[in-house]
Amino acid sequence: MERFKGYIDKIVYRNEDNGYTVFELEVDGSTVVCVGTVPYVAEGEYVEVTGEYTEHSVYGQQLKVDTCEDIPPEDEKSVERYLGSGAIKGIGVALAARIVRRFKADTLRIIEQEPERLAEIKGISMRMAMEISDNVTAKRDMRNAMIFLQGYGISMNLAAKIYNQYGPSVYTILKENPYRLADDISGVGFKIADDIAVKMGIQADSDFRIKSGIMYTLLQATGNGHIYLPYDELLEQLVLLLDTQVRDIEPQLTELAMEKKVVIKEDVTQNGVTIRMVYGASYYYMEMSVAYALKALDAQESIDEKKVLDRIRRIELAEKIELDDKQRDAVLQAVRSGFLVITGGPGTGKTTTINTIIRYFEGEDMDIRLAAPTGRAAKRMTEATGCEAQTIHRMLELTGAPEDDRMAGFARNEENPIEADVIIIDEMSMVDIFLMNSLLKAVTPGTRLILVGDVNQLPSVGPGNVLRDIIASDRFKVVKLTKIFRQATESDIIVNAHRINAGEKFAIGPSSKDFIFLRRDEPNNVIGAMITLVSQKLPKYVNARPFDIQVLTPTRKGVLGVEKLNSVLQEYLNPKAAGKQEKEFPNTIFREGDKVMQIKNNYQLEWETRGKYGIPVDRGMGVFNGDMGIIDNINFYSEQLTVKFDDDKYVEYPFKQLDELELAYAVTVHKSQGSEYPAVVIPLLNGPKMLMNRNILYTAVTRAKKCVCIVGTEDVFYGMVENENEQKRYSTLAKRIQECN
């Protein structure tokens, strides 16, 4: 550990949001470049720093600051240097010299304790004197608070966030209830707050701890797709979290309910058993909001059915298509209904039905908007319909200002609704309760809303079971397309997907043109076959680049999980090379040319599309969970990594934000929702039973456009076909809909 005392000669860089600072420290005539989270230091200050030297690839040797303590200036020269550095607003070099000439070594005491005396100096009014004093006091308070927080093992980065949130009241808040940090400060979860609480001496069974633990457990549940937790399951998870015996949480639940943080409901099952359901309040009211909004849209219009059917037949003749009865009914219901759901598997004519609906409403001179949850899905919708489709976020005009960490702000809402006569949303199985709620806020009664999706796909990554619950409510018009059209029957991908969904056992092997099964029973043999397929065989077979071939795996961990496969595939598809920049990050090496994926919604990230010579032609905000792209550039001078996403959007990531990216040569089946690839490779050996199920296999297979290649054992494949047990999702949108109808 190195230790230096010296003057801060220059602040080279400071991030005002998190306090990260680069500064030059003058030590006995030489300069030490220091980096760290020290938002309270200023030029001219005399400080003592400790830290370790690190070697930056561009900037050379730097001291990574561990602690930075202010040493108050004592002699007149030091005081004058500090005041004249610009650290104190309103004081420059000349004025600093006059102040010190007047008050000498007593200057700082005068500023803090008798600020009115500064007005004795020409050029300083009484108001300015008080502002100078307030500025000095604020800096002193911040410095003292940072030292106080670091005394409890809190990092400088987190300490800066805490002080910016609470200011001087930080002492009271942390001593009384440090769990407030988890509620108030982005990036501080229960576990960090709990760590601080232990150091503060808070009891393991304190009410604060139990209440914060309940909220954390409910929040974690939403990360697994749940809207609520049954009481018994909540208690069980809470005991594991707190690592202490908690037998009764009624008092804490009652308090949280009174504070309007949770909602507790009871439901009686078909067996007569009463279940208590505990919701985070916002999730309960979100389901209610969605239910009432859908009911408001569900108006039925009186139509001349014969005339409508005649129009549909004329469209069929013009487009040279022939709809089946279900498809015609879907178009008819779209004309009649304010709200409609169309569902069906691959090859059942969803796209043809959508196109016919579009042509019908175009003939009525109606304004039609098309959207899908992801950029890839919107691009596919555009290609299939010939009409522009957007992401739902873009249609809602994302503002980039989140209401909290999980929800976005949109310019389109109740006060500024979407201007359209008809809105059609595709890939609805991907839409979670947050996005559905935001969408419905921006759709006014009188606008037709048509939802299209495959209900047998995996549910959304985010919380809720929106499409399934809407259908299960049995309160709205739903058209289920079931016929597999002749052209689709020529594809083994589509035929076998329906067999998988029906739980049928069928022959598999290498003989099919587009549904190939390679038998391998050892992990290394599976990996070897996959490398050959992705890098050599499949690109030629489907006329695509190796990067377009997607490996889909059910698991994250294990020898055939995402983490292991990505490191192996990176070696073969984008190996280390001279002139190819790379950035090491915990457990990952990011390299120029790597295929990567955004793994969380970030409504603040800015993107731009670029025209000729790299000139930006469009800008916006928001990059979303599942968006995929290629690392275009790694710049160590600006400490940024640039990703070019599939829809030609460029996004610059500061190095400290690389935890939002991961390699994407292999992705989980969940993350592939809404995407379509020329070919997919699916490794299938043993894995957790909850993930090795029919729903996962069906979703993976239906991601392929030209070829599915499964590598593994027949036993695992057939076991997944037979396993109907999906991961349980606790949601009650269907019940909320039934209650309001």
Side-chain angles (χ1 to χ4, degrees):
M1 182 74 72
E2 304 288 341
R3 184 182 299 272
F4 296 102
K5 289 183 181 180
Y7 289 100
I8 296 176
D9 185 54
K10 183 181 180 184
I11 301 291
V12 178
Y13 168 79
R14 172 168 286 152
N15 183 319
E16 296 299 339
D17 292 331
N18 59 24
Y20 180 79
T21 305
V22 180
F23 62 93
E24 294 178 356
L25 189 70
E26 185 186 308
V27 182
D28 298 330
S30 62
T31 299
V32 178
V33 178
C34 302
V35 296
T37 305
V38 280
Y40 48 83
V41 300
E43 291 178 359
E45 290 187 344
Y46 191 60
V47 296
E48 181 176 45
V49 300
T50 64
E52 299 283 356
Y53 272 118
T54 60
E55 188 69 30
H56 193 284
S57 59
V58 174
Y59 303 115
Q61 196 176 58
Q62 299 176 330
L63 187 78
K64 189 175 180 182
V65 176
D66 185 48
T67 65
C68 179
E69 293 184 16
D70 177 62
I71 301 172
E74 294 175 353
D75 59 87
E76 293 175 27
K77 184 180 178 183
S78 298
V79 173
E80 184 177 333
R81 179 171 182 165
Y82 169 59
L83 292 179
S85 68
I88 308 301
K89 188 178 177 182
I91 301 180
V93 175
L95 186 55
R98 295 209 305 273
I99 293 172
V100 174
R101 220 171 17 247
R102 179 64 174 267
F103 300 116
K104 300 191 168 37
D106 205 25
T107 296
L108 289 181
R109 187 195 68 78
I110 294 289
I111 291 173
E112 291 184 17
Q113 297 177 18
E114 302 178 58
E116 66 279 358
R117 290 188 58 190
L118 291 174
E120 297 171 12
I121 296 170
K122 187 177 179 181
I124 300 181
S125 65
M126 186 60 72
R127 179 180 175 182
M128 185 179 175
M130 294 305 165
E131 285 176 354
I132 290 170
S133 179
D134 289 345
N135 203 325
V136 170
T137 303
K139 283 186 173 294
R140 183 201 62 205
D141 289 347
M142 183 181 191
R143 186 179 295 110
N144 291 341
M146 295 287 284
I147 293 167
F148 166 78
L149 292 168
Q150 288 172 53
Y152 285 97
I154 299 170
S155 70
M156 286 193 285
N157 193 12
L158 181 55
K161 275 188 176 183
I162 294 170
Y163 186 80
N164 287 340
Q165 176 73 27
Y166 300 125
S169 60
V170 64
Y171 306 99
T172 307
I173 288 167
L174 260 65
K175 285 175 179 174
E176 288 182 356
N177 178 16
Y179 294 98
R180 272 190 60 181
L181 272 64
D183 292 333
D184 298 344
I185 299 175
S186 171
V188 178
F190 170 82
K191 293 189 175 179
I192 293 175
D194 197 39
D195 223 25
I196 295 169
V198 169
K199 291 168 182 166
M200 291 282 183
I202 301 290
Q203 294 298 309
D205 60 352
S206 75
D207 281 354
F208 289 138
R209 187 166 190 253
I210 292 171
K211 284 165 65 179
S212 185
I214 289 170
M215 296 308 298
Y216 176 77
T217 303
L218 291 174
L219 181 61
Q220 289 298 102
T222 65
N224 293 320
H226 304 305
I227 296 293
Y228 73 91
L229 280 180
Y231 177 90
D232 291 342
E233 202 165 314
L234 171 62
L235 182 57
E236 183 182 326
Q237 291 184 27
L238 186 64
V239 169
L240 288 173
L241 173 71
L242 300 182
D243 195 23
T244 190
Q245 194 56 257
V246 182
R247 292 185 175 82
D248 181 21
I249 56 173
E250 286 300 328
Q252 291 83 11
L253 277 178
T254 301
E255 279 189 48
L256 288 169
M258 290 173 67
E259 293 167 10
K260 301 191 184 309
K261 290 184 177 179
V262 302
V263 172
I264 304 163
K265 288 287 178 181
E266 291 189 350
D267 191 25
V268 180
T269 67
Q270 291 178 338
N271 301 326
V273 178
T274 300
I275 296 176
R276 295 186 72 204
M277 302 175 291
V278 184
Y279 302 76
S282 61
Y283 298 88
Y284 174 80
Y285 291 114
M286 221 174 288
E287 280 196 335
M288 288 284 290
S289 173
V290 167
Y292 278 106
L294 289 175
K295 185 184 179 220
L297 291 175
D298 188 35
Q300 296 296 307
E301 188 177 313
S302 178
I303 62 171
D304 186 328
E305 193 168 311
K306 185 176 181 302
K307 281 186 178 179
V308 173
L309 289 171
D310 285 344
R311 280 275 310 279
I312 294 170
R313 288 191 183 94
R314 287 201 298 273
I315 293 170
E316 290 180 64
L317 287 171
E319 299 292 325
K320 296 179 182 176
I321 57 173
E322 185 177 349
L323 304 180
D324 72 356
D325 290 343
K326 288 282 184 69
Q327 289 176 303
R328 283 194 196 94
D329 184 46
V331 182
L332 186 69
Q333 297 306 329
V335 176
R336 174 183 286 143
S337 307
F339 175 62
L340 173 67
V341 176
I342 302 171
T343 184
T348 57
K350 294 191 299 295
T351 299
T352 302
T353 305
I354 292 172
N355 282 335
T356 308
I357 291 170
I358 292 170
R359 302 298 168 253
Y360 187 97
F361 288 128
E362 282 178 340
E364 297 285 298
D365 202 26
M366 288 186 171
D367 187 9
I368 306 161
R369 301 290 294 275
L370 308 181
T374 67
R376 280 185 167 230
K379 187 176 180 181
R380 284 173 56 201
M381 196 179 188
T382 299
E383 291 166 354
T385 62
C387 302
E388 184 191 359
Q390 299 173 292
T391 63
I392 300 173
H393 290 88
R394 192 99 196 254
M395 183 174 69
L396 293 174
E397 297 175 21
L398 179 72
T399 63
E403 296 164 21
D404 65 25
D405 286 346
R406 297 165 298 283
M407 299 194 306
F410 295 103
R412 295 292 180 178
N413 49 38
E414 307 98 312
E415 296 173 0
N416 182 29
I418 298 166
E419 295 166 4
D421 300 307
V422 182
I423 298 172
I424 304 175
I425 309 292
D426 198 10
E427 293 287 359
M428 264 303 299
S429 62
M430 298 180 65
V431 174
D432 63 24
I433 196 70
F434 295 137
L435 192 54
M436 189 63 179
N437 189 45
S438 296
L439 171 66
L440 291 173
K441 284 180 178 178
V443 180
T444 53
T447 298
R448 285 177 171 81
L449 178 63
I450 301 167
L451 308 182
V452 184
D454 183 350
V455 75
N456 294 306
Q457 296 282 359
L458 287 168
S460 57
V461 174
N465 222 345
V466 174
L467 182 61
R468 287 192 187 188
D469 280 358
I470 290 172
I471 294 171
S473 72
D474 201 27
R475 291 294 192 272
F476 304 114
K477 187 61 186 176
V478 176
V479 179
K480 296 181 181 179
L481 305 178
T482 54
K483 178 183 174 182
I484 305 176
F485 284 84
R486 184 178 58 79
Q487 189 176 356
T489 62
E490 297 171 7
S491 164
D492 285 342
I493 295 174
I494 290 173
V495 172
N496 289 343
H498 284 276
R499 287 169 171 168
I500 290 167
N501 191 45
E504 295 176 13
K505 192 168 182 176
F506 57 94
I508 52 176
S511 58
S512 170
K513 290 182 179 179
D514 63 359
F515 195 97
I516 301 165
F517 192 96
L518 300 181
R519 292 169 180 83
R520 302 287 188 276
D521 55 10
E522 291 291 333
N524 287 340
N525 293 338
V526 172
I527 291 172
M530 287 169 55
I531 290 168
T532 302
L533 286 166
V534 175
S535 62
Q536 299 172 34
K537 303 287 189 185
L538 285 173
K540 296 175 187 173
Y541 190 64
V542 298
N543 191 28
R545 301 174 306 158
F547 273 31
D548 295 326
I549 314 300
Q550 188 61 54
V551 174
L552 302 180
T553 176
T555 62
R556 284 199 60 81
K557 304 291 184 183
V559 70
L560 293 178
V562 164
E563 294 171 8
K564 170 70 174 174
L565 290 178
N566 270 319
S567 63
V568 173
L569 290 167
Q570 183 189 41
E571 271 185 59
Y572 287 89
L573 298 178
N574 189 33
K576 187 181 181 74
K580 194 183 286 185
Q581 295 282 8
E582 56 183 51
K583 167 65 179 172
E584 193 168 344
F585 202 69
N587 306 316
T588 307
I589 292 174
F590 291 111
R591 191 173 289 143
E592 288 177 347
D594 270 338
K595 184 177 180 179
V596 291
M597 174 184 278
Q598 172 80 10
I599 58 171
K600 62 178 282 192
N601 287 340
N602 187 326
Y603 305 110
Q604 303 289 341
L605 263 181
E606 296 183 9
W607 54 260
E608 64 182 29
T609 56
R610 299 173 180 173
K612 199 173 180 181
Y613 309 117
I615 298 170
V617 295
D618 191 16
R619 284 191 171 92
M621 300 189 80
V623 184
F624 307 108
N625 194 347
D627 286 355
M628 293 175 70
I630 302 291
I631 296 177
D632 182 70
N633 176 260
I634 298 175
N635 188 327
F636 283 95
Y637 181 77
S638 62
E639 297 196 331
Q640 287 183 323
L641 179 153
T642 304
V643 176
K644 181 185 179 184
F645 283 96
D646 283 343
D647 41 6
D648 292 332
K649 292 177 181 174
Y650 288 83
V651 177
E652 294 180 344
Y653 289 82
F655 283 171
K656 61 184 174 57
Q657 218 166 325
L658 294 184
D659 58 344
E660 295 189 13
L661 289 174
E662 69 179 20
L663 296 176
Y665 300 100
V667 302
T668 62
V669 179
H670 263 102
K671 293 282 190 182
S672 72
Q673 286 173 270
S675 297
E676 186 178 71
Y677 311 97
V680 300
V681 179
I682 309 168
L684 292 183
L685 285 183
N686 292 330
K689 190 168 183 182
M690 69 172 74
L691 293 176
M692 309 302 284
N693 63 48
R694 182 186 301 173
N695 196 212
I696 292 270
L697 182 58
Y698 174 79
T699 302
V701 165
T702 55
R703 299 305 90 206
K705 187 174 184 180
K706 296 180 180 178
C707 185
V708 168
C709 203
I710 298 171
V711 187
T713 66
E714 290 175 316
D715 287 347
V716 173
F717 177 83
Y718 290 128
M720 291 180 76
V721 173
E722 292 170 6
N723 182 11
E724 291 185 83
N725 297 321
E726 300 172 34
Q727 285 182 286
K728 174 67 179 171
R729 218 167 238 229
Y730 297 119
S731 66
T732 46
L733 178 58
K735 188 171 185 62
R736 301 285 87 84
I737 290 169
Q738 289 163 354
E739 287 172 351
C740 72
N741 268 264

